[in-house]
Amino acid sequence: YYFAYESSCWIDLERFTQLLNDVVRCEANEKNEKELERLLSSAIELYGDELFSGDVDRERWRPQRTALRRQYVDALVHLARLKANGGHGDLGVALVQQAVGAEPWRQDVQSILIETLCSVGRYQEARKHYDHVLALLDGPPSDELKALFRRIH
């Protein structure tokens, strides 16, 4: 079997990866933020579900799935920061919330959500989310989370 690349078909995984590579090139060339936003939005939209999520041989694809999900979450956070810095803080919050939903165990993403909530003046919600994060942790919070706590309380 082979894939006929000359056909009008395309592979979403290849396109997702290409878009993220374009983001890196765009940043390296210091292109405008609108182009970065477009590339990130396209990659995020393309990520529909985890790689081979319905496959009976799920374990075989775990490393690839994990890496792709991390790239997706990082793209969400990157776009969220661009939006928040561009005056669209509530959209930034929504994007980081989406990232937290995909990888709730990542303290760095949880911290970014709390910071983004604070940046749009939603301090009470930030404190509530901080308490929620503490309840989820198995061990002590990271130094980053502790510093964040001091800033919001």
Side-chain angles (χ1 to χ4, degrees):
Y1 296 99
Y2 72 96
F3 188 80
Y5 281 98
E6 64 276 357
S7 74
S8 62
C9 295
W10 55 277
I11 300 172
D12 58 353
L13 174 58
E14 285 183 359
R15 181 69 182 137
F16 176 76
T17 303
Q18 182 61 52
L19 286 164
L20 294 179
N21 289 336
D22 290 347
V23 166
V24 172
R25 276 193 288 284
C26 188
E27 287 181 312
N29 296 330
E30 298 181 18
K31 294 210 176 172
N32 67 35
E33 287 188 4
K34 290 293 179 198
E35 179 64 7
L36 271 175
E37 288 180 11
R38 184 190 70 73
L39 292 168
L40 288 163
S41 294
S42 296
I44 290 165
E45 185 178 323
L46 199 53
Y47 186 94
D49 197 3
E50 293 194 337
L51 181 67
F52 301 131
S53 61
D55 194 318
V56 292
D57 194 16
R58 283 183 52 87
E59 288 305 308
R60 178 175 153 203
W61 299 106
R62 181 183 298 255
Q64 293 90 342
R65 246 193 330 272
T66 299
L68 289 167
R69 184 181 53 243
R70 178 169 280 273
Q71 290 174 320
Y72 166 69
V73 167
D74 290 344
L76 283 166
V77 168
H78 193 157
L79 183 58
R81 286 183 165 154
L82 289 172
K83 293 295 187 182
N85 292 339
H88 303 283
D90 287 331
L91 180 53
V93 168
L95 288 163
V96 180
Q97 286 172 328
Q98 195 173 339
V100 165
E103 290 193 331
W105 56 86
R106 284 184 55 184
Q107 285 190 45
D108 62 324
V109 178
Q110 297 283 5
S111 294
I112 292 166
L113 176 55
I114 294 166
E115 289 171 350
T116 308
L117 287 166
C118 288
S119 76
V120 295
R122 293 162 59 177
Y123 297 103
Q124 185 175 10
E125 194 174 341
R127 286 186 206 91
K128 184 177 178 182
H129 189 72
Y130 178 86
D131 293 337
H132 171 74
V133 170
L134 285 182
L136 293 175
L137 296 178
D138 288 336
S142 66
D143 290 340
E144 183 181 6
L145 267 177
K146 289 177 189 175
L148 194 52
F149 173 78
R150 288 189 293 277
R151 284 200 330 249
I152 66 174
H153 276 40

